């Protein structure tokens, strides 16, 4: 259960990777029990799970950690400059969004990028309520946002943003529908 929470929580490559380490320990224990009690199905199943866990460890503690560390080093170098201007594209997800008066509106859950230009067309903002149990997703065009180093600022006031229609769960538009 601990390993499942570690991998499902999406707290970064290291936490996910260590979740696979915990899964591996569990597989070793179950394989040992299966061998000691003559349960070949338990041994075979956990042998396969062990191989899967080893791939997870390689992927998350090896490869993905390397990518995150590289992005973090570029961000750190940018912070040391006169005006920080770099953060990872994955850093957009989860970034807080405030309205023009500084009131927190929610967080970024996705950014849609145009293939032809490589430019962000719109950002999807979640305005979670009730401890995340309810949310409305709204598409906001890039022109309506100012991207800061740690937060985004929407060039609308909160009530105007909240009056915009929400996105349907699986039917997002080709272009953002609202403007400032």
């Amino acid at each position: 259960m601990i390993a499942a929470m570690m991998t499902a929580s999406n707290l970064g490559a290291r936490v996910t990777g260590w979740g696979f380490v915990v899964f591996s320990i569990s597989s070793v224990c179950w394989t040992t029990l299966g061998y000691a009690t003559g349960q070949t199905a338990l041994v075979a199943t956990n042998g396969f799970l062990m191989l899967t866990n080893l791939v997870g460890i390689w992927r998350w503690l090896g490869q993905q950690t390397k990518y995150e560390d590289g992005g973090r080093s570029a961000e750190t170098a940018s912070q040391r400059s006169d005006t920080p201007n770099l953060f990872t594209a994955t850093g957009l997800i989860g970034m807080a969004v405030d309205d023009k008066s500084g009131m927190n509106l929610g967080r970024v859950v996705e950014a849609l990028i145009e293939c032809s230009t490589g430019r962000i067309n719109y950002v999807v903002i979640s305005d979670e309520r009730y401890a995340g149990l309810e949310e409305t997703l709204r598409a906001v065009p890039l022109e309506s946002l100012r991207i800061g180093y740690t937060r985004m600022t929407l060039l609308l006031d909160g009530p105007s943003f909240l009056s915009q229609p929400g996105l349907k769960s699986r039917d997002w538009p080709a272009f953002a529908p609202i403007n400032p």
Side-chain angles (χ1 to χ4, degrees):
M1 289 187 289
I2 292 169
M5 289 300 295
M6 292 173 76
T7 55
S9 62
N10 195 22
L11 294 174
R14 283 188 175 78
V15 173
T16 301
W18 281 102
F20 279 105
V21 170
V22 174
F23 274 136
S24 297
I25 293 168
S26 174
S27 288
V28 167
C29 292
W30 282 111
T31 300
T32 303
L33 177 68
Y35 183 76
T37 58
Q39 298 179 56
T40 55
L42 189 59
V43 172
T45 300
N46 279 282
F48 174 77
L49 290 174
M50 186 63 184
L51 290 174
T52 303
N53 294 331
L54 291 174
V55 170
I57 291 168
W58 170 80
R59 168 77 171 88
W60 291 100
L61 284 180
Q63 298 300 106
Q64 194 64 32
T65 298
K66 184 171 45 176
Y67 306 150
E68 285 183 8
D69 289 348
R72 200 170 297 114
S73 71
E75 283 181 12
T76 301
S78 176
Q79 286 175 343
R80 288 191 296 263
S81 70
D82 291 337
T83 54
N85 61 359
L86 291 177
F87 58 89
T88 61
T90 56
L92 285 173
I93 307 306
M95 187 177 277
V97 179
D98 299 331
D99 72 2
K100 63 184 181 179
S101 67
M103 180 181 85
N104 183 267
L105 296 173
R107 65 183 176 85
V108 175
V109 296
E110 191 58 88
L112 287 292
I113 299 172
E114 296 173 1
C115 295
S116 61
T117 64
R119 180 185 162 282
I120 295 172
N121 181 277
Y122 69 90
V123 172
V124 177
I125 299 172
S126 167
D127 66 338
E128 294 178 348
R129 294 173 301 283
Y130 311 115
L133 296 176
E134 184 180 321
E135 71 178 352
T136 301
L137 302 177
R138 292 180 177 83
V140 177
L142 183 63
E143 296 80 29
S144 300
L145 293 163
R146 293 295 167 256
I147 300 175
Y149 189 70
T150 59
R151 305 180 82 74
M152 286 191 189
T153 302
L154 181 62
L155 302 176
L156 294 172
D157 60 24
S160 296
F161 169 72
L162 295 173
S163 70
Q164 299 294 325
L167 297 174
K168 294 180 180 157
S169 67
R170 289 188 172 89
D171 188 22
W172 292 6
F175 297 95
I178 69 170
N179 290 305

